[in-house]
Amino acid sequence: MPKAGIIYNDIKPIACRAAEEWRDKLIGLGWEVALATGMGGILGYSDLDKPVCHTTVEQLTPPGFDAEMSFAVVLGGDGTVLSAFRQVASCGIPLLTVNTGHMGFLTETYLNQLPQAIEQVLAGNYQLEERTMVTVQAIRDDIVVWEALCLNEMVLHREPLTCMCHFEIQVGRHAPVDIAADGVIISTPTGSTAYGLSAGGPVITPDVPVLQLVPICPHSLASRALVFANTEPVTIFPANTNRLVMVVDGNAGCYVLPEDQVRIQRSPYSAKFIRINPPEFFHVLREKLGWGLPHIAKPTSVELP
């Protein structure tokens, strides 16, 4: 019996209803179906008052999800998509992402188009688009105390009401650089349209094998975004007396102390998107972010009498 999965945002009634409806429909078509919420991929935040511990990415897979699963449907917004890939990437399960949220930049289709999309998937009429993911680790005394699988970006920044931060950053074998800023972003091409874009970084098409470093509010005209090969690991040494906060994909994070290190490197796992239509990144940029829209000319001046 073929296997499929459904991951949904359980705080949205429309996603809950759709999950139950499509579970019953797929079972009626002879499929074994496993359900899970996206909460399992939200790692939460470490607590300074408790021993820091972490869950390895391989342990985040929901019950019933495994490498034998043909595909899974994600019902939610971009946050649910990020969480779902963190849950299933180690199994290599392709995801059909369905927007029940707002922006839906990472989603492939909408809920009202899901019947046609499912029909295409069951018939095998789709393409897979693989996106780079990175592993983010907080290291203390040579021990990994926290880690996460990241599809968008890692952000390391100061806490509120603290002074500007200094970061010593080493990319691969290259000499370390010093950056003074409110924080730094390390993003994948997928994340280049998220926080990195808001911080002034370039948009990178998903097929380019690079990562980017973007300083947040740097205290130098020379500190600008840097793009480098994703084969290069990145190590960040916080050169501060105060602790910092690290956030991954906007929904998980930990404190980083002055003696800690943060290590980012390309993950052996990738995010596999099911595409009903051939991937067209520029169309998504135009539709979601307004990139490349035709210029509207100024009105002609009116001659006064």
Side-chain angles (χ1 to χ4, degrees):
M1 180 182 294
K3 295 176 63 175
I6 298 175
I7 298 175
Y8 62 99
N9 185 338
D10 60 343
I11 66 173
K12 293 185 177 180
I14 188 172
C16 295
R17 291 194 299 269
E20 295 177 357
E21 175 187 348
W22 281 99
R23 175 195 58 192
D24 295 342
K25 287 183 177 180
L26 288 171
I27 289 175
L29 293 172
W31 286 72
E32 178 184 347
V33 181
L35 256 66
T37 71
M39 289 298 295
I42 299 177
L43 305 183
Y45 294 83
S46 67
D47 190 338
L48 279 180
D49 299 327
K50 299 177 182 178
V52 180
C53 60
H54 74 284
T55 303
T56 61
V57 296
E58 291 81 7
Q59 294 176 307
L60 296 177
T61 307
F65 286 69
D66 54 42
E68 296 180 0
M69 186 170 282
S70 299
F71 70 95
V73 178
V74 180
L75 299 164
D78 288 337
T80 308
V81 173
L82 294 168
S83 178
F85 272 117
R86 194 175 290 115
Q87 290 173 277
V88 306
S90 63
C91 297
I93 301 172
L95 298 184
L96 174 64
T97 53
V98 183
N99 186 20
T100 64
H102 300 288
M103 171 71 76
F105 196 90
L106 297 176
T107 56
E108 172 67 9
T109 189
Y110 295 92
L111 194 57
N112 62 351
Q113 300 169 345
L114 185 53
Q116 296 90 339
I118 289 289
E119 183 180 352
Q120 294 283 87
V121 171
L122 296 184
N125 297 328
Y126 63 90
Q127 298 181 28
L128 287 183
E129 181 187 19
E130 293 198 33
R131 299 280 187 98
T132 297
M133 302 186 79
V134 295
T135 301
V136 180
Q137 298 176 324
I139 301 171
R140 184 171 303 158
D141 297 325
D142 296 324
I143 297 173
V144 176
V145 295
W146 192 89
E147 75 173 340
L149 195 59
C150 168
L151 176 58
N152 262 3
E153 75 278 299
M154 182 285 314
V155 182
L156 185 61
H157 62 85
R158 65 187 179 96
E159 288 194 284
L161 306 181
T162 59
C163 59
M164 180 170 293
C165 304
H166 287 266
F167 305 90
E168 292 183 1
I169 303 175
Q170 183 168 19
V171 177
R173 57 180 173 76
H174 303 288
V177 296
D178 182 87
I179 292 177
D182 284 354
V184 292
I185 303 169
I186 304 291
S187 87
T188 66
T190 300
S192 71
T193 54
Y195 196 176
L197 176 65
S198 299
V203 173
I204 302 172
T205 58
D207 55 335
V208 181
V210 298
L211 300 177
Q212 70 168 331
L213 161 65
V214 184
I216 302 172
C217 299
H219 194 240
S220 170
L221 293 174
S223 294
R224 290 296 176 259
L226 173 70
V227 177
F228 53 93
N230 63 17
T231 55
E232 302 273 23
V234 181
T235 305
I236 302 176
F237 306 89
N240 307 279
T241 57
N242 299 317
R243 71 189 186 195
L244 301 176
V245 177
M246 179 169 69
V247 180
V248 174
D249 281 348
N251 63 16
C254 71
Y255 287 112
V256 175
L257 304 183
E259 64 271 17
D260 295 346
Q261 300 176 21
V262 175
R263 185 177 299 158
I264 305 103
Q265 57 189 340
R266 181 175 180 174
S267 171
Y269 308 123
S270 62
K272 297 180 179 179
F273 285 85
I274 290 177
R275 300 303 190 194
I276 304 302
N277 300 305
E280 180 41 72
F281 183 67
F282 286 178
H283 173 75
V284 176
L285 282 183
R286 177 176 175 141
E287 182 182 68
K288 303 291 186 179
L289 298 180
W291 183 81
L293 290 176
H295 176 70
I296 300 176
K298 296 180 181 179
T300 56
S301 59
V302 178
E303 294 185 6
L304 297 176

